[in-house]
Amino acid sequence: MPQPFPIISQQKQPQAWAITPDSHALAELAKGIWDCAVQTNQRPLVVLSTAGPLIGLRAALEQNRPKHLPSHIAFLPQVISFADWLEAAPSAWKFPKKQTDLERWLSVFVNLRKHKVLQSWFKAESESGAWGLAQAVIDACDSLSEVVVPQLQSELNDLLQTHTLDTEAWLKKVELVLDQAIAKAYIGLSRNVVDEESAVLLTFWRYLTSIGDPVIRKHLAMASHMQLVKANAEKDRDTVRPFLWVQTADPKPIEQELIDSYLCDYAQFASVVRVDLDWQSVALWPEALCGLDVEGHIAVANTQEESQIDSNIQANRQDDWRLLAARRFEELAWAATKSVESYLIAGKKNIALVAQDRLAARRARALLSRLGNSLRIRDETGWKLSTTRAAAALDSWLEVVRAPKEGPSASALLEFLQNPYFDLSHSLNQSSEVGVGLIAQLEDILIASQAKSGWETFTMAIERANSYAATNGGSPNAHLITLIQFVRKLHAGWLPPTVDCSSAYALLQKNLQETGMAQRLEKDAAGKQLLEVLNSFDLSGGIYQDVKMRLPEWLSLLKTVIEEAAYAEAGKEAQATLSILPLSSTRLRQFDAVVLVGCDEQQLPAFSEPPLFFSDTLNRYLKSSTIAAQYIQQARDLSQLLVSCNNVDLLWQSKSKSGEPLRPSAWIQRLQTKLKDWRVIDAKPETVQGQSQPIQMSVSIPDQDLAIPVTVSPSAYKALRDCPYRYYVTSLLGLRKAKEFEEGFDASLAGQTLHALLKTFFQALKTEEEKSHSPIHQGYEARRQWMIDHLMKCSEKEFERLIAGDARVMGTLRDWQKQIPSLIDWQIKREDAGWRYHDAELPIGFTLSLTDPDGVQREIRIAGRADRFDIQESDSTAAAVIDYKNQKMKKIADRAENILDDPQLLIYARAANENPIAAHLPGRSVEQAEWITLKAELDKGEDKNIRAHAVEDMPNAMAQFSEQIVKDLNGLWARKPMQAFAPDSVCQYCEARGVCRKGMW
Ligand code: SF4
């Protein structure tokens, strides 16, 4: 039976009233408030302890407005949440400036520097861990202040009464009073604190507490409200409005004391009604009915209370409470989605998804987004700003900022350049056409050259690519270098190891302006919110503006603040609304249907992270929240939810990740023992049957309109031989995978560097040989030594820039230098056999003429770049072609086995023989071809015997190759079916695998 609203008495004491927290609670409350208005003939002020039911209560007041009210009370009574009421305190302008979270964290940081005793605590923490710990310290300090500050209430009241116009002087007085109170309380508290951790915390509290803390402001606001009430009462007692306090959730004991004392004071001047929730007919478990005992433990129910619970369960049982168990996570998310869908189909417009299991709720949300704009999803669980694209974009810039002076990794650089907020044309101050394809081109170059990190490395890779383009008919792109220089210049601004807060903020803003990111973020909902969060770092004019810290500390602080910020989605009109919210937010709110996901024994009840510093006993002493209080609150919230809504689905995952069975929450199990017919439904995904055709090996016939390249490089021809389908995908369709950077040093740029330095060395050797007094003519040993020294020096020089870009390259240089003596030995042996270095890095090719099936004559150019040509001194017609391989002999031997599938050397030999002038070999023909390893396994003695591997039976191999290439190219131009066919060793690294779907057939 609902309690009637009390008859307002003149007792000067708060009166108590309680409402039943069921589906009629808000209507009952609204009627009570109107009753109060009518009885007192005044418009009451209603303050709710939590903001959740505000909108619902206003609507209920409108619906329950009594007829024929006198005009001065006909307005809706003022309903406000406690937090808003505090903010609206009179003379709030006088209050000390509110400290932001950031300022409070910085105060921890500053105190840490000042007081050695505190430092030991943070020593072991990483930067981000330290900021997390700072947050915990602040929370704990607030708990301590909550206990101490009420003792100051009368001083604060007095201070507010002094009508000094000098706010500064007033603030100083407040500060003094606070300091005195802290000093006094510190002695008392330290007697109760035994362990070292809490002792350190107390020290923190002593140093950190300031008049800008939220706890102090709260007390000042309450004192200020009270002062106004007194002033009004003195003028005209009848102008003081009746005050209704609605306690929507169980308060912490300290909060209870605070509000009780305020209500008592207020009752001296006007009517006060304290509204509580009456669990008598709503509680479904004894703990929800009985609450805590005086000691703060869960009270034990007597038999009468037990039987009350039994009757509550039977009276409130709804047929539409469903228990759904899903076996796996994905099935759970599907089941939750299906539940929501079924309610939408049934015409429900206002549905709640209670995210006891946040992951499953997130997944369900993603699945529900298929419903598009007809369903509005409001996530009240706090969607983090850090999960938005805008935050990821900023993060990509911070990754570049934190890079060492040599430069960022290529992946970090590309990630930043490819973020959608980066404005390339704005950054380069060029027209937007200039930017088209520029970043893709940069990515290609960095990947192809495996330039993994460092500004110098990137620049070198671009210069090489540009010079290659210039000599091979391509067009070098100067904007690539400009782009690297632009980012490098911005990065250079962050090189000093320490920053001060305000200049770091200014620099970051400048970066965002220069890269055009600020302008683009401004146009995006999440971006705008991100910029607002960044603005909180503007500490100019404040006491923390000059605080200095290491750059990683500042970056980590920035990240922590963004991590804490929530993203507010813009609302939109829709046919139905789904609110994703925690259980506590369902209090006194109305929903057409509720889906509660995560009702297993591990997640319901769910307790907030225990405070880092206080034990449960100390919490009790500090009159703060305890585990028992949280447990009871959740039992009450769940009772209220079940009793208030007819359609409730309770879902859980019945098997844990490790495969162990998971039972439903004990609360559900206890209800089941009383409700025998309440059975669990197995939530199984619907299975749809169908016949599928097994996939066959992929084959494609090139379309008539598909252009076939008229130049073929040795590697493209190898691809065609390895697997025609792969050639089709990569060369004809031009598809390519977004490549990841491989771990380890940039092999390719190093490979290019080795080729380049070997050419430089051999050219230098040629020049040296022409000098008659050179030491190289002074016998075998002197020649050997000169060659080794010179190649060593040459290598140091060529690698110099690479090392400047990435110091790890030093290891590669040293490995290579170990190879040099044995390579020189091989070279000398080769010279003894009459072979002399002739030329290197020579572009070379030959042309094939064929007639395609349409009778059109086609000229196909087979061309590449030969590593080196040697000539024979004893035979003026003989020459040899050499290919350097930066791989072990074993691989080279495998290559030789399949020379017809990888005929690079045969291509160069044929090209040189067909056009000796172009190959700078007039009068000679290539009859020898060899691979030389630059990575001999020295410890296995490879250097002595097997650094080289020659192509066997050259004339025969050449003849077979010539026949084969004509056949292959004829087949290609005839657009014959191109089949996916390759051994697993080839498929393993094939980037077309996702297209040919090898493994599925
Ligand atoms: S995965 Fe193998 S079969 Fe498929 S395209 Fe690549 S190489 Fe050919």
Side-chain angles (χ1 to χ4, degrees):
M1 272 295 289
Q3 288 181 24
F5 189 77
I7 307 289
I8 301 287
S9 73
Q10 302 298 322
Q11 293 290 308
K12 295 199 174 182
Q13 265 179 9
Q15 288 180 266
W17 182 46
I19 52 166
T20 309
D22 58 11
S23 56
H24 309 294
L26 291 182
E28 201 186 336
L29 180 58
K31 284 180 195 156
I33 294 170
W34 282 121
D35 196 343
C36 176
V38 172
Q39 285 193 52
T40 55
N41 206 17
Q42 272 179 314
R43 188 170 167 245
L45 168 65
V46 185
V47 181
L48 304 186
S49 70
T50 57
L54 263 186
I55 297 173
L57 179 56
R58 288 195 188 122
L61 279 166
E62 194 59 63
Q63 282 160 9
N64 292 283
R65 182 197 297 271
K67 291 195 179 104
H68 315 301
L69 283 175
S71 60
H72 66 281
I73 55 169
F75 273 134
L76 221 53
Q78 187 186 1
V79 182
I80 190 168
S81 71
F82 183 48
D84 289 347
W85 179 71
L86 291 176
E87 284 301 311
S91 325
W93 56 270
K94 238 181 173 188
F95 295 174
K97 189 180 156 289
K98 193 175 183 174
Q99 281 201 315
T100 61
D101 285 349
L102 174 64
E103 285 169 330
R104 302 190 78 196
W105 286 347
L106 285 170
S107 73
V108 177
F109 182 83
V110 169
N111 274 290
L112 210 56
R113 292 259 176 93
K114 269 200 239 151
H115 306 289
K116 282 260 173 300
V117 54
L118 304 176
Q119 275 167 16
S120 59
W121 244 32
F122 279 76
K123 246 185 205 149
E125 292 296 329
S126 62
E127 271 105 25
S128 53
W131 292 119
L133 193 54
Q135 177 62 53
V137 167
I138 289 166
D139 290 344
C141 288
D142 280 348
S143 296
L144 289 168
S145 298
E146 290 266 19
V147 185
V148 173
V149 180
Q151 298 157 18
L152 281 182
Q153 201 70 39
S154 65
E155 279 101 327
L156 293 180
N157 286 343
D158 293 346
L159 278 169
L160 276 164
Q161 267 167 0
T162 54
H163 290 283
T164 166
L165 284 175
D166 184 352
T167 321
E168 287 273 310
W170 181 81
L171 283 180
K172 284 234 151 43
K173 276 190 198 159
V174 179
E175 214 168 337
L176 186 73
V177 170
L178 182 67
D179 274 352
Q180 285 166 353
I182 290 172
K184 210 164 102 201
Y186 177 75
I187 300 166
L189 280 169
S190 45
R191 267 189 230 119
N192 287 290
V193 162
V194 276
D195 56 311
E196 194 201 350
E197 210 171 74
S198 305
V200 177
L201 182 75
L202 261 186
T203 322
F204 256 120
W205 176 71
R206 196 175 170 170
Y207 296 134
L208 287 187
T209 308
S210 86
I211 52 171
D213 287 358
V215 178
I216 318 284
R217 281 181 64 91
K218 178 164 87 177
H219 284 266
L220 276 171
M222 291 179 79
S224 173
H225 272 298
M226 186 49 68
Q227 195 197 7
L228 181 72
V229 170
K230 270 188 201 160
N232 288 346
E234 276 162 22
K235 273 189 242 147
D236 177 2
R237 206 179 170 82
D238 290 342
T239 56
V240 184
R241 292 195 283 167
F243 188 90
L244 273 90
W245 171 260
V246 186
Q247 191 67 53
T248 50
D250 296 345
K252 287 193 261 179
I254 189 74
E255 289 168 353
Q256 171 104 39
E257 279 178 18
L258 179 69
I259 199 69
D260 280 350
S261 100
Y262 185 84
L263 296 183
C264 280
D265 291 348
Y266 200 107
Q268 307 311 309
F269 309 104
S271 312
V272 171
V273 180
R274 180 192 163 96
V275 187
D276 281 297
L277 303 181
D278 175 9
W279 298 99
Q280 186 69 13
S281 59
V282 170
L284 299 179
W285 302 280
E287 54 271 31
L289 180 63
C290 308
L292 295 173
D293 62 17
V294 278
E295 309 265 82
H297 300 297
I298 297 170
V300 180
N302 57 31
T303 37
Q304 196 191 345
E305 286 162 336
E306 292 279 5
S307 67
Q308 176 69 41
I309 293 295
D310 287 348
S311 76
N312 285 354
I313 294 173
Q314 299 307 332
N316 290 304
R317 159 79 165 117
Q318 299 292 339
D319 289 341
D320 291 327
W321 290 353
R322 294 193 297 173
L323 287 178
L324 295 154
R327 289 166 71 84
R328 292 177 305 137
F329 172 81
E330 205 49 45
E331 287 175 10
L332 177 67
W334 263 109
T337 311
K338 286 279 154 202
S339 283
V340 173
E341 274 180 10
S342 68
Y343 287 129
L344 289 171
I345 292 166
K348 312 272 183 219
K349 299 267 182 260
N350 182 16
I351 303 170
L353 175 62
V354 180
Q356 207 63 24
D357 181 335
R358 286 172 77 108
L359 275 183
R362 280 275 148 85
R363 179 78 186 115
R365 180 205 160 108
L367 294 170
L368 282 164
S369 56
R370 291 171 306 138
L371 300 181
N373 286 343
S374 48
L375 179 68
R376 176 186 173 201
I377 300 180
R378 291 178 59 220
D379 195 340
E380 297 177 29
T381 54
W383 184 346
K384 289 194 169 211
L385 187 60
S386 59
T387 59
T388 60
R389 208 167 52 142
L394 175 72
D395 204 40
S396 71
W397 174 239
L398 299 184
E399 276 308 303
V400 176
V401 164
R402 70 166 72 239
K405 69 175 188 316
E406 287 80 14
S409 72
S411 341
L413 175 70
L414 289 171
E415 181 118 8
F416 162 64
L417 293 175
Q418 286 164 343
N419 93 66
Y421 299 89
F422 173 65
D423 188 341
L424 183 61
S425 51
H426 174 94
S427 302
L428 298 187
N429 202 12
Q430 297 283 344
S431 67
S432 53
E433 288 82 57
V434 168
V436 176
L438 191 72
I439 293 172
Q441 199 185 349
L442 176 68
E443 183 181 14
D444 280 348
I445 292 172
L446 299 188
I447 289 175
S449 58
Q450 285 289 297
K452 209 181 161 231
S453 69
W455 298 121
E456 276 304 315
T457 318
F458 303 149
T459 314
M460 221 171 136
I462 296 169
E463 282 170 3
R464 289 236 164 111
N466 274 348
S467 82
Y468 182 83
T471 50
N472 285 272
S475 45
N477 193 339
H479 295 300
L480 289 166
I481 294 282
T482 320
L483 177 60
I484 295 291
Q485 282 167 346
F486 168 75
V487 188
R488 188 175 186 170
K489 199 170 137 228
L490 297 188
H491 173 245
W494 294 99
L495 291 183
T498 53
V499 292
D500 69 64
C501 287
S502 50
S503 48
Y505 166 77
L507 183 57
L508 181 65
Q509 286 290 3
K510 193 161 161 265
N511 288 170
L512 294 180
Q513 290 292 341
E514 284 171 341
T515 53
M517 283 178 72
Q519 296 82 330
R520 290 193 174 177
L521 285 167
E522 194 61 53
K523 291 187 191 136
D524 173 280
K528 236 183 183 160
Q529 292 177 38
L530 180 71
L531 289 176
E532 276 162 25
V533 173
L534 287 186
N535 286 345
S536 69
F537 274 76
D538 183 4
L539 300 167
S540 49
I543 50 169
Y544 298 114
Q545 64 170 345
D546 294 327
V547 171
K548 283 202 173 3
M549 58 179 81
R550 290 186 305 114
L551 178 63
E553 279 171 338
W554 187 80
L555 289 174
S556 159
L557 176 63
L558 189 67
K559 277 194 163 190
T560 314
V561 170
I562 294 172
E563 193 59 38
E564 293 288 312
Y567 167 58
E569 268 178 294
K572 55 182 189 294
E573 281 302 308
Q575 290 168 25
T577 303
L578 175 76
S579 306
I580 303 177
L581 67 188
L583 181 59
S584 59
S585 295
T586 59
R587 254 173 241 152
L588 292 183
R589 282 171 68 179
Q590 299 286 310
F591 296 101
D592 299 338
V594 175
V595 177
L596 212 152
V597 62
C599 302
D600 56 77
E601 54 190 342
Q602 289 177 358
Q603 299 189 91
L604 184 68
F607 300 105
S608 53
E609 285 279 306
L612 209 49
F613 309 108
F614 302 143
S615 63
D616 220 33
T617 328
L618 195 55
N619 263 331
R620 218 165 279 152
Y621 169 76
L622 293 174
K623 300 177 192 169
S624 195
S625 175
T626 58
I627 300 271
Q630 289 179 34
Y631 176 73
I632 285 172
Q633 184 65 61
Q634 288 181 65
R636 289 181 166 171
D637 287 342
L638 188 60
S639 293
Q640 184 181 153
L641 183 72
L642 284 166
V643 168
S644 312
C645 188
N646 292 348
N647 297 94
V648 181
D649 286 353
L650 301 163
L651 288 90
W652 71 94
Q653 194 178 327
S654 57
K655 276 218 156 59
S656 70
K657 258 194 223 150
S658 54
E660 295 291 316
L662 264 182
R663 286 174 306 175
S665 157
W667 285 324
I668 295 179
Q669 293 183 52
R670 283 158 70 191
L671 281 185
Q672 276 183 300
T673 58
K674 303 276 165 73
L675 302 169
K676 299 283 183 223
D677 58 338
W678 200 30
R679 299 208 187 289
V680 179
I681 305 165
D682 253 343
K684 285 202 189 108
E686 287 165 27
T687 44
V688 182
Q689 286 211 341
Q691 287 276 315
S692 63
Q693 292 269 329
I695 306 181
Q696 303 293 322
M697 183 186 273
S698 299
V699 182
S700 238
I701 300 172
D703 191 89
Q704 277 307 322
D705 295 335
L706 197 62
I708 296 180
V710 287
T711 54
V712 179
S713 67
S715 58
Y717 182 65
K718 178 177 183 302
L720 180 66
R721 292 290 308 168
D722 280 348
C723 172
Y725 193 84
R726 176 181 179 177
Y727 180 82
Y728 168 75
V729 172
T730 53
S731 293
L732 298 191
L733 296 182
L735 298 180
R736 65 183 190 96
K737 206 170 101 184
K739 282 190 196 159
E740 298 283 317
F741 283 87
E742 286 158 23
E743 268 302 301
F745 165 59
D746 37 5
S748 231
L749 205 50
Q752 289 174 27
T753 307
L754 285 180
H755 279 66
L757 74 87
L758 281 169
K759 180 177 177 178
T760 317
F761 165 72
F762 280 114
Q763 294 293 4
L765 178 65
K766 258 176 144 181
T767 318
E768 191 70 17
E769 275 173 340
E770 277 159 25
K771 298 181 191 159
S772 53
H773 299 301
S774 167
I776 59 171
H777 302 303
Q778 293 164 9
Y780 166 84
E781 206 34 66
R783 181 179 175 85
R784 180 176 183 271
Q785 203 49 51
W786 183 93
M787 286 165 83
I788 291 176
D789 292 348
H790 207 78
L791 189 49
M792 289 280 185
K793 251 191 255 155
C794 239
S795 306
E796 300 265 354
K797 194 153 172 274
E798 285 280 341
F799 269 86
E800 202 175 6
R801 249 182 113 187
L802 271 182
I803 292 167
D806 183 350
R808 290 170 300 174
V809 180
M810 185 60 93
T812 313
L813 170 63
R814 294 292 172 242
D815 283 348
W816 157 244
Q817 286 180 322
K818 280 186 207 143
Q819 297 272 336
I820 289 178
S822 92
L823 183 76
I824 297 297
D825 288 344
W826 166 82
Q827 172 64 24
I828 289 178
K829 228 161 117 190
R830 187 166 172 80
E831 286 174 357
D832 290 348
W835 290 105
R836 277 278 180 272
Y837 165 85
H838 181 64
D839 210 342
E841 301 283 302
L842 209 61
I844 191 165
F846 63 92
T847 306
L848 276 181
S849 275
L850 51 91
T851 313
D852 75 7
D854 300 330
V856 182
Q857 188 76 19
R858 303 280 182 185
E859 304 269 288
I860 321 284
R861 179 99 183 128
I862 321 290
R865 179 184 283 252
D867 282 352
R868 166 172 160 183
F869 284 111
D870 281 5
I871 48 172
Q872 177 54 258
E873 279 183 323
S874 60
D875 180 351
S876 62
T877 63
V881 60
I882 282 176
D883 195 42
Y884 295 128
K885 287 282 172 228
N886 202 17
Q887 51 190 212
K888 298 189 177 125
M889 273 317 278
K890 165 88 183 60
K891 274 210 155 171
I892 293 179
D894 293 346
R895 209 175 259 272
E897 290 266 295
N898 303 304
I899 175 101
L900 288 176
D901 289 333
D902 184 9
Q904 193 183 14
L905 281 172
L906 303 181
I907 291 174
Y908 300 145
R910 179 169 166 179
N913 293 347
E914 282 192 11
N915 192 350
I917 310 257
H920 307 170
L921 292 167
R924 292 183 185 259
S925 71
V926 175
E927 278 147 21
Q928 262 205 25
E930 288 187 20
W931 292 278
I932 307 298
T933 172
L934 302 180
K935 224 181 188 177
E937 290 182 278
L938 302 175
D939 50 345
K940 293 190 182 158
E942 268 187 6
D943 58 314
K944 302 243 163 27
N945 318 312
I946 41 169
R947 186 170 278 277
H949 195 298
V951 175
E952 283 168 17
D953 195 3
M954 268 282 276
N956 186 25
M958 293 282 282
Q960 279 188 41
F961 158 65
S962 295
E963 202 179 307
Q964 171 189 290
I965 192 165
V966 171
K967 199 165 145 230
D968 288 339
L969 293 182
N970 271 323
L972 181 64
W973 280 92
R975 295 175 196 269
K976 286 196 177 153
M978 304 186 82
Q979 203 160 35
F981 170 79
D984 285 347
S985 57
V986 173
C987 299
Q988 202 182 351
Y989 301 106
C990 173
E991 55 184 23
R993 195 178 180 120
V995 186
C996 93
R997 312 190 74 185
K998 168 122 187 201
M1000 308 288 281
W1001 35 267

